[in-house]
Amino acid sequence: MTGSNLLVDVKLSNGKTIQVQTGLFINNEFVVGDYTLDTVNPATGEVITAVQAADTPKVDEAVDAAENAYQTVWKDTLPTERQRLMLRLADLIERDAEELAQIETLDNGKPFTNSKFVDVPALLGTLRYYAGFADKLYGKLINTQVGTSLVDREPYGVCAGILPWNFPLSMLGWKLGPALVTGNVIIIKTSEITPLSALKVAALAKEAGFAPGVIQIITGYGKTAGTALSRHMRVSKLAFTGSTMVGREIMKASADTNLKKVTLELGGKSPNIIFNDADIDQAVKFAHRGIYYNQGQICCAGSRIYVQEGVYDQFVKGLQAAATTGKSGDPFDLTTMHGPLVSQMQFDRVMDYIESGKAEGAHVHTGGKRVGDKGYFIEPTIFTDVKPEMKIVKEEIFGPVAVVTKFKDEDDVVRLANDTVYGLASAVFTKDIDRALTVAKRIQAGTVWVNGYNLLENETPFGGYGQSGIGRENGEMGLDNYLQYKTIKINLNVKL
Amino acid sequence: MSDIQTVKLSNGKTAQAHTYLFYNNKFVPGNGPLIETINPTTEEVICKVHSADAKDVDAAVDAAHNAFHSEWKKVAAAQRGRYLNKLADLMERDIDELATLEALDNGKSFVVARDVDITDSIACFRYFAGWADKITGQTMETTYDKMCYTRLEPIGVVGAITPWNYSVMMPVWKLAPALAAGNTIVLKTSEVTPLAMLKLCELVVEAGFPAGVVNVITGYGQITGAALTGHPKVHKMAFTGSTQSGRLIMDSSAKSNLKKVQLELGGKSAQIVCADADLKNAAFWACGGIFNNHGQSCNAGSRILVHESVHDEFVKLFIEEAKKIKVGDPFDPEVTQGPQINVAQFNKILEYIDIGTKEGAKVAFGGKRIGSKGYFIEPTVFINCHNQMRVMREEIFGPVVCIGTFKTVDEAIEIANDSDYGLAGGVYTSNIDTGIIVSNALEAGTIWVNSYDIFDQSTPFGGYKQSGFGKELGLDSLREYSHIKSVKIQLVSRL
């Protein structure tokens, strides 16, 4: 099969037909893989198409191509040229935004309005933000007793990025942006659950003029493609976004092989804290966004909500009202707010957690059931009367399930909030300046939102404390993951 | 007189030129005197342009002030970057038009105007576009009961006065960081070369900048320049020009509102050729170092100090390089050197050649006018110069280089530093220690090692001593266009 045979026509639920690419993108060509796997439309439970997938042979091929691209082309490409190519790719993504949003919704199930107005623009914003850094990667000049030292920042060369399925396009941007602008080449492994949208970006990368091997996009199971990448002796750096459990495997693989640098962006059980003096209307709206956006499938979801006694009833009433409005349905319906969960497996997982919550004595305040009988839809769910030891309070559910706890005072809630192995994000709702800043300092999490939730922007770093991960993405700090310091120390003064 | 005039080029073609003032996104007549802009190739008038009087300057500053406090403030930082990139795209599209006006008005070769001046200006906008959403302050630890941070804020309305030697690039070096940092700007071009920037203003509108963000006017220093530098609503002035005018700018600031001042002034930069230099390489770069832009560069390497053991060989190679320069009509694609800018400069340069000869320097090459129409002067090489000669101390700003010798590297450093100026310097050597030691020791803002006159957007540029203060290009230039504010929040509950 050639590249053109790997394009497949797919009919959307709105009657339109689009073409999706199903090959592996290696060395600027779409090729057959080591095996195939099916990707499913979560709104219907039906197979969209089979896609080519990678095991060790294809991963090896991709790494060889990446190495060659780095040594012969990318290493000596001017920073301004890297910037130009990235901005060109962004322009092409903007040109084909509608199509990309359609593929994203088809494969992931998120509402089309989200794909179009949030996910694709997020990818654009990340690429354009990072493109601007190309000729701004400053090192240091340090004068010492010995002489003059230039501390340069240099790329690793061949990098790999393993993406999750919850924000396929946006997470693609979070890896491509900093990797390319710092002069690395990168092999992206998409989630086998959502392989399609990145392959469209791959075609645009070729059209933009990136040399073969600079950007490569493959998919495959974690056990095959993921393992092959994380164990490869000639991949120097790997960035992983996904579950904590798999994150451990990635680190082990690195330890076992070439000690490749690893950054991990993992799970969370983030506390959303609402004090008596909060603007309750805003707190309700943001709490809703915090746990029900993207069907709760967000690493930084505000899944534990702590409400101070004085406003507990008012808040819970408000959150329930918000949780029960908002239509679950066909993601291509522009009035849909909630799409399906991404797969049967995720659906089963979340339903299991809901059952365990009931079994452990928590109260289903609202929701808790499947919606309809086709597609993986679950009602936005609120649990109250929860205790810290419960599974639904300790473990990441990754679905539209909030657990709500009443608290007394600042010391009480800080203790509860920090009682977790995770530390990805958190929020504080209060009008008091002291309380906002003090609580923010006391919470052990990589991001603390004050009077907001799930507000992610390119300029500010994001990443976890504790078992939520290692390293930061976005912002200037996101570049650190893709650069290494080299000290060139010129001896002027020491003569033996 | 209407805004757009048709102007004649020396190759028989015509071009369109704006001649009004530009502010609030409109081309507007001025109330100052009409000024003739001269074509230095033909000595003929190209056209007349409108100049700004004090009232016009007020109007332009008001436009900038209003834009800063309303529309421009609302524009997200990333969007500022997108406007700058869009402007760069449009300049790329219209590069020939811009280069034509630059070559016509300034006299530099069209090819150089296109491939250096406008190309580098485009690169400058793209560079600073990338900074717009990356201007961050810092947080810092003090005591446990406080949270402290700094903010980098735009200054507001900034003023700029730019020279005639790079009539697009010098303005862009100011526009780009000023706009990236969130300021609005009123820029006075040299009345000697007003045309190319007015074309750029057309592109500013097309790029989508809100009205009042970019304003470009021209006029005489003592009318327009003075009104701008003395203006109470302008809070920073960036000036590139002569050291003499730089003093007036500082004085004006002192007498008005103590506006922040940044000066990029003259120079008498020394290029040092060591005994172990690759002489062919040195001759090539040193030649460009003085003769690029017809010697009309603030950073021109106008003194060359050569180790006595390689002097004769170097001078021979240098003159071979100088012979490759073809002087003539800017629109002739073979030409690399056009006329000097105007009759005043032309006369001044010839006078310095005379002074040098009288002081005992020897003309080893050139020394005379070329032809009888147009301000053309031969690339000129003086040898046997010593550092007390006027031609070794005073800025000539023409295609005249003065070559002297030295015995030791320490002596060369001393001679190079024996100057009121400190804009740039060069050292040619194959020894790594020498390269570092000399570049460390020279009292100048940019030191080239084994090359000269190479510019990059990310390396800051600006002088020591009477060559001025403040930096252009690079991250450091953003500081010039920002205020730093410290915010210290007391956590009352922790007192």
Side-chain angles (χ1 to χ4, degrees):
Chain A
M1 278 202 271
T2 64
S4 57
N5 292 354
L6 294 168
L7 282 165
V8 167
D9 282 339
V10 173
K11 192 134 154 249
L12 304 178
S13 60
N14 60 13
K16 296 195 181 134
T17 300
I18 56 173
Q19 253 193 349
V20 297
Q21 175 59 247
T22 64
L24 300 179
F25 185 67
I26 294 180
N27 229 10
N28 267 16
E29 297 304 328
F30 290 102
V31 298
V32 168
D34 297 311
Y35 59 100
T36 62
L37 53 87
D38 285 341
T39 184
V40 170
N41 178 349
T44 61
E46 287 158 17
V47 172
I48 303 169
T49 177
V51 297
Q52 301 298 318
D55 200 334
T56 303
K58 280 302 182 204
V59 168
D60 281 347
E61 204 180 300
V63 174
D64 286 346
E67 241 182 5
N68 184 56
Y70 180 73
Q71 291 298 338
T72 62
V73 177
W74 201 235
K75 187 160 67 67
D76 298 320
T77 298
L78 290 178
T80 46
E81 176 63 4
R82 299 200 294 259
Q83 176 179 86
R84 191 191 67 78
L85 287 166
M86 288 174 73
L87 289 177
R88 177 89 187 113
L89 176 57
D91 285 347
L92 293 174
I93 288 168
E94 198 167 39
R95 181 193 70 192
D96 294 352
E98 186 84 1
E99 205 184 320
L100 275 164
Q102 287 167 341
I103 299 173
E104 187 84 329
T105 285
L106 174 70
D107 212 4
N108 169 282
K110 62 181 72 197
F112 179 74
T113 48
N114 289 1
S115 295
K116 180 166 170 167
F117 294 111
V118 181
D119 294 65
V120 173
L123 170 60
L124 281 175
T126 302
L127 287 174
R128 287 177 170 145
Y129 172 78
Y130 273 116
F133 268 117
D135 45 6
K136 303 173 178 65
L137 303 171
Y138 286 95
K140 283 213 190 283
L141 189 289
I142 306 176
N143 287 314
T144 62
Q145 306 273 57
V146 166
T148 288
S149 293
L150 292 101
V151 183
D152 262 351
R153 304 178 77 190
E154 299 187 349
Y156 287 102
V158 177
C159 299
I162 297 180
L163 306 185
W165 45 256
N166 58 346
F167 291 92
L169 285 174
S170 175
M171 293 296 100
L172 176 65
W174 282 29
K175 308 278 179 286
L176 284 183
L180 295 171
V181 79
T182 48
N184 294 283
V185 297
I186 185 160
I187 300 165
I188 298 281
K189 185 198 92 60
T190 55
S191 165
E192 69 279 13
I193 299 175
T194 51
L196 299 179
S197 56
L199 291 170
K200 170 67 184 168
V201 176
L204 298 178
K206 182 172 178 176
E207 189 185 338
F210 281 92
V214 174
I215 302 173
Q216 299 183 96
I217 300 185
I218 62 176
T219 198
Y221 295 113
K223 287 207 161 13
T224 49
T227 299
L229 270 177
S230 57
R231 294 188 67 85
H232 205 291
M233 296 299 284
R234 284 176 288 122
V235 169
S236 302
K237 185 253 155 34
L238 191 144
F240 170 80
T241 300
S243 69
T244 295
M245 184 179 76
V246 176
R248 290 184 203 289
E249 296 305 310
I250 303 273
M251 266 191 102
K252 281 188 202 156
S254 166
D256 225 18
T257 54
N258 67 342
L259 281 172
K260 57 174 59 59
K261 313 290 178 284
V262 166
T263 49
L264 304 173
E265 213 267 273
L266 308 175
K269 192 73 183 184
S270 303
N272 184 358
I273 302 169
I274 292 129
F275 282 92
N276 285 341
D277 70 338
D279 177 335
I280 297 300
D281 179 64
Q282 285 296 298
V284 163
K285 287 177 170 145
F286 273 110
H288 182 275
R289 178 195 173 99
I291 184 56
Y292 301 125
Y293 184 74
N294 213 49
Q295 293 64 256
Q297 299 167 133
I298 310 185
C299 46
C300 53
S303 46
R304 292 184 287 152
I305 305 178
Y306 295 96
V307 189
Q308 202 168 23
E309 310 179 306
V311 291
Y312 180 85
D313 292 337
Q314 183 190 0
F315 175 86
V316 171
K317 186 147 164 252
L319 187 62
Q320 174 179 9
T324 49
T325 51
K327 183 169 138 190
S328 287
D330 176 6
F332 281 98
D333 178 340
L334 301 178
T335 64
T336 292
M337 178 184 285
H338 301 295
L341 268 66
V342 80
S343 66
Q344 180 73 58
M345 195 166 82
Q346 286 301 120
F347 175 86
D348 291 340
R349 239 178 88 100
V350 175
M351 292 308 290
D352 278 351
Y353 271 112
I354 292 173
E355 290 314 306
S356 99
K358 292 183 200 163
E360 287 190 294
H363 169 65
V364 177
H365 195 88
T366 189
K369 294 190 294 301
R370 182 181 197 177
V371 180
D373 52 11
K374 200 160 91 124
Y376 314 122
F377 297 87
I378 296 181
E379 295 176 324
T381 299
I382 301 174
F383 273 106
T384 52
D385 295 337
V386 300
K387 293 194 174 44
E389 320 77 65
M390 291 178 179
K391 272 182 67 168
I392 55 171
V393 180
K394 292 177 83 68
E395 297 177 24
E396 188 182 38
I397 299 172
F398 224 66
V401 180
V403 301
V404 185
T405 302
K406 193 185 293 191
F407 73 88
K408 217 156 51 97
D409 58 24
E410 184 182 313
D411 282 344
D412 184 25
V413 75
V414 166
R415 184 183 47 78
L416 287 166
N418 285 340
D419 181 22
T420 173
V421 302
Y422 293 114
L424 189 49
S426 59
V428 175
F429 283 83
T430 176
K431 294 196 184 94
D432 187 277
I433 191 175
D434 269 32
R435 179 172 300 125
L437 294 174
T438 306
V439 173
K441 290 224 56 147
R442 293 178 72 187
I443 301 284
Q444 296 299 296
T447 292
V448 184
W449 282 292
V450 176
N451 295 329
Y453 210 97
N454 275 345
L455 299 164
L456 281 104
E457 297 173 293
N458 298 309
E459 299 92 326
T460 48
F462 180 86
Y465 277 38
Q467 295 186 31
S468 287
I470 295 174
R472 293 290 177 269
E473 296 189 282
N474 292 350
E476 198 184 318
M477 297 73 178
L479 299 170
D480 295 345
N481 303 333
Y482 292 92
L483 292 166
Q484 36 190 357
Y485 287 112
K486 170 184 285 178
T487 301
I488 301 174
K489 197 183 254 286
I490 304 171
N491 178 18
L492 297 171
N493 301 321
V494 178
K495 299 275 181 271
L496 296 176
Chain B
M1 183 177 97
S2 60
D3 172 41
I4 296 190
Q5 298 289 312
T6 301
V7 295
K8 263 182 20 221
L9 308 180
S10 53
N11 59 11
K13 298 199 180 135
T14 58
Q16 304 280 82
H18 288 278
T19 59
Y20 281 6
L21 309 178
F22 176 80
Y23 60 87
N24 240 358
N25 272 10
K26 290 194 174 59
F27 289 94
V28 178
N31 293 302
L34 287 178
I35 301 181
E36 286 179 345
T37 181
I38 309 287
N39 181 344
T41 303
T42 59
E43 302 181 29
E44 285 161 14
V45 174
I46 302 170
C47 64
K48 295 188 188 165
V49 297
H50 284 230
S51 74
D53 72 357
K55 264 189 26 241
D56 294 320
V57 171
D58 277 345
V61 170
D62 279 346
H65 179 89
N66 293 338
F68 178 73
H69 288 285
S70 59
E71 286 315 304
W72 198 226
K73 264 206 158 81
K74 296 184 200 142
V75 172
Q79 179 59 42
R80 295 202 299 261
R82 298 211 62 196
Y83 283 133
L84 290 169
N85 262 324
K86 181 71 177 147
L87 182 54
D89 289 344
L90 295 173
M91 286 175 73
E92 231 161 42
R93 181 194 70 192
D94 293 353
I95 195 171
D96 282 354
E97 267 177 79
L98 287 161
T100 296
L101 290 170
E102 176 83 57
L104 172 68
D105 214 0
N106 170 284
K108 67 181 75 190
S109 136
F110 168 81
V111 169
V112 169
R114 186 192 60 202
D115 296 346
V116 179
D117 291 63
I118 309 301
T119 296
D120 282 3
S121 300
I122 291 166
C124 185
F125 274 129
R126 293 209 189 285
Y127 175 80
F128 282 102
W131 271 121
D133 54 1
K134 301 174 179 66
I135 300 173
T136 55
Q138 296 180 305
T139 64
M140 58 284 297
E141 216 177 325
T142 55
T143 53
Y144 88 108
D145 58 339
K146 300 205 300 295
M147 284 185 80
C148 299
Y149 60 88
T150 54
R151 281 171 54 82
L152 251 59
E153 301 178 345
I155 292 172
V157 178
V158 311
I161 295 178
T162 53
W164 45 257
N165 59 343
Y166 296 90
S167 86
V168 171
M169 203 157 83
M170 292 298 99
V172 171
W173 281 18
K174 291 154 187 54
L175 286 175
L179 297 171
N183 301 282
T184 57
I185 185 163
V186 178
L187 186 139
K188 184 196 92 65
T189 55
S190 165
E191 72 282 7
V192 174
T193 52
L195 300 180
M197 272 305 291
L198 289 172
K199 164 69 185 173
L200 197 144
C201 291
E202 212 184 273
L203 304 180
V204 163
V205 178
E206 196 183 337
F209 283 90
V213 173
V214 177
N215 308 278
V216 176
I217 59 180
T218 199
Y220 295 114
Q222 55 271 44
I223 303 175
T224 318
L228 193 54
T229 52
H231 206 291
K233 284 189 187 156
V234 173
H235 296 289
K236 179 227 159 65
M237 174 61 64
F239 172 79
T240 300
S242 71
T243 297
Q244 182 191 38
S245 299
R247 291 184 202 287
L248 295 175
I249 304 276
M250 269 189 97
D251 191 54
S252 172
S253 165
K255 289 193 165 81
S256 59
N257 65 348
L258 281 172
K259 53 174 63 57
K260 212 155 116 100
V261 169
Q262 174 178 4
L263 302 177
E264 214 267 273
L265 308 176
K268 193 73 185 183
S269 305
Q271 306 189 61
I272 297 173
V273 182
C274 297
D276 61 6
D278 174 337
L279 292 181
K280 259 193 101 167
N281 182 66
F284 170 79
W285 288 106
C287 186
I290 173 58
F291 295 127
N292 286 348
N293 215 45
H294 328 166
Q296 299 169 142
S297 273
C298 44
N299 60 282
S302 48
R303 292 183 287 156
I304 305 181
L305 309 172
V306 189
H307 191 270
E308 52 185 17
S309 68
V310 295
H311 173 269
D312 294 351
E313 176 67 17
F314 174 79
V315 170
K316 177 165 142 284
L317 291 166
F318 185 89
I319 289 173
E320 266 165 40
E321 287 295 326
K323 284 189 177 141
K324 294 176 187 167
I325 298 171
K326 179 161 176 209
V327 184
D329 185 308
F331 290 95
D332 175 347
E334 304 291 311
V335 159
T336 46
Q337 179 178 320
Q340 307 307 121
I341 186 66
N342 59 19
V343 66
Q345 287 299 116
F346 174 78
N347 286 334
K348 185 172 122 169
I349 296 161
L350 291 175
E351 196 189 322
Y352 269 110
I353 293 173
D354 194 49
I355 288 168
T357 311
K358 291 198 167 78
E359 287 185 305
K362 175 163 163 231
V363 175
F365 184 76
K368 292 188 297 301
R369 178 185 199 171
I370 298 176
S372 55
K373 196 158 93 125
Y375 309 119
F376 297 94
I377 296 180
E378 294 177 315
T380 298
V381 180
F382 270 119
I383 57 173
N384 301 344
C385 301
H386 66 75
N387 215 44
Q388 301 322 307
M389 291 176 177
R390 284 184 63 191
V391 289
M392 282 284 262
R393 306 198 71 80
E394 297 171 27
E395 190 180 37
I396 299 174
F397 225 65
V400 178
V401 71
C402 298
I403 303 183
T405 58
F406 64 89
K407 290 184 169 61
T408 66
V409 168
D410 282 345
E411 190 194 339
I413 292 168
E414 209 184 306
I415 296 170
N417 287 341
D418 176 21
S419 169
D420 290 335
Y421 295 110
L423 188 49
V427 55
Y428 299 91
T429 176
S430 60
N431 183 289
I432 188 175
D433 278 26
T434 306
I436 294 177
I437 288 166
V438 173
S439 48
N440 286 357
L442 289 178
E443 292 162 2
T446 296
I447 313 295
W448 283 283
V449 180
N450 292 332
S451 70
Y452 205 89
D453 206 24
I454 300 285
F455 279 83
D456 299 279
Q457 303 307 325
S458 44
T459 50
F461 180 83
Y464 288 27
K465 303 198 276 195
Q466 294 185 39
S467 289
F469 47 83
K471 289 302 184 196
E472 301 197 275
L473 304 180
L475 167 61
D476 298 275
S477 68
L478 289 171
R479 297 271 141 91
E480 307 286 347
Y481 288 93
S482 305
H483 279 321
I484 301 177
K485 169 186 286 176
S486 290
V487 178
K488 308 170 76 117
I489 304 175
Q490 180 67 52
L491 300 172
V492 178
S493 58
R494 290 191 157 205
L495 275 173

